[in-house]
Amino acid sequence: IFDHAYDADGRSSVLADGAFHAVAITSKPVRTTPRFVVVPRESQDAFRVVELASPFDVALLPGPLDVYVAGDYRLTTDLPVTPAKGRVVLGLGVEPALKIARNARFEEESAGLMRGSLDLRHDVRIAITSHLGTPAEIEVRERVPVTQKDDEETKVTIERVEPSWRP
């Protein structure tokens, strides 16, 4: 926890009526990057998220944040503590115009010289249907199997991913 004094853009008058008054001390434009995140193994829902970079040279303290899209109020969410010039990713709920389907196929066959090992093949296909009417960036999160450090018999091979993965 830390303290900080924020410099206001100007002076304000506040009524001395004993009631709570919110006073804006500054305003700066914020560039946002909207996108969608899907985790088909867990849910068929697509979630709207927006990433923004703080335009301030000081940290932003946690508190309520009203979200407007194209001038229309959408929701109130909590802004986490954000460092100076830091990045924030906010969840904006489910997007019903995106439909997600995860189709998994599994094959098992004997492998190896003496057929003493087992080859398990998984084919996972993610189908996304958009009724948004505009292009959208959709991040698909899928779990990939891994081996334990001391397991020398098990190998995981990723044969093909389309489109290719990126960090």
Side-chain angles (χ1 to χ4, degrees):
I1 308 257
F2 53 90
D3 294 331
H4 186 80
Y6 295 92
D7 294 327
D9 288 342
R11 295 175 181 242
S12 291
S13 295
V14 178
L15 294 176
D17 58 1
F20 175 78
H21 298 278
V23 178
I25 61 170
T26 189
S27 176
K28 289 190 180 184
V30 176
R31 194 173 131 177
T32 60
T33 307
R35 68 178 195 275
F36 301 93
V37 175
V38 299
V39 187
R41 186 176 187 280
E42 305 300 328
S43 172
Q44 294 179 348
D45 293 325
F47 297 92
R48 287 175 286 195
V49 296
V50 65
E51 185 174 341
L52 57 96
S54 172
F56 298 103
D57 292 326
V58 296
L60 298 176
L61 298 177
L65 176 70
D66 292 333
V67 178
Y68 291 82
V69 176
D72 296 330
Y73 171 79
R74 290 294 169 103
L75 62 101
T76 298
T77 187
D78 290 322
L79 177 71
V81 174
T82 306
K85 298 292 185 183
R87 300 188 82 64
V88 178
V89 178
L90 298 172
L92 303 180
V94 173
E95 175 52 67
L98 291 173
K99 304 298 179 193
I100 313 301
R102 180 182 189 270
N103 301 303
R105 194 168 47 106
F106 173 77
E107 288 180 13
E108 180 178 318
E109 63 183 49
S110 296
L113 211 59
M114 303 288 288
R115 298 282 201 214
S117 64
L118 194 58
D119 191 8
L120 305 174
R121 293 184 176 269
H122 295 262
D123 182 34
V124 178
R125 296 175 188 259
I126 310 297
I128 301 174
T129 303
S130 174
H131 300 286
L132 291 172
T134 59
E137 180 179 329
I138 302 170
E139 177 183 329
V140 179
R141 296 181 182 176
E142 182 64 32
R143 193 162 65 176
V144 177
V146 295
T147 60
Q148 299 209 4
K149 291 181 182 179
D150 57 347
D151 186 359
E152 296 177 10
E153 293 182 24
T154 305
K155 292 184 179 33
V156 175
T157 306
I158 299 173
E159 292 180 359
R160 188 179 73 220
V161 177
E162 294 175 21
S164 62
W165 289 338
R166 63 180 193 198

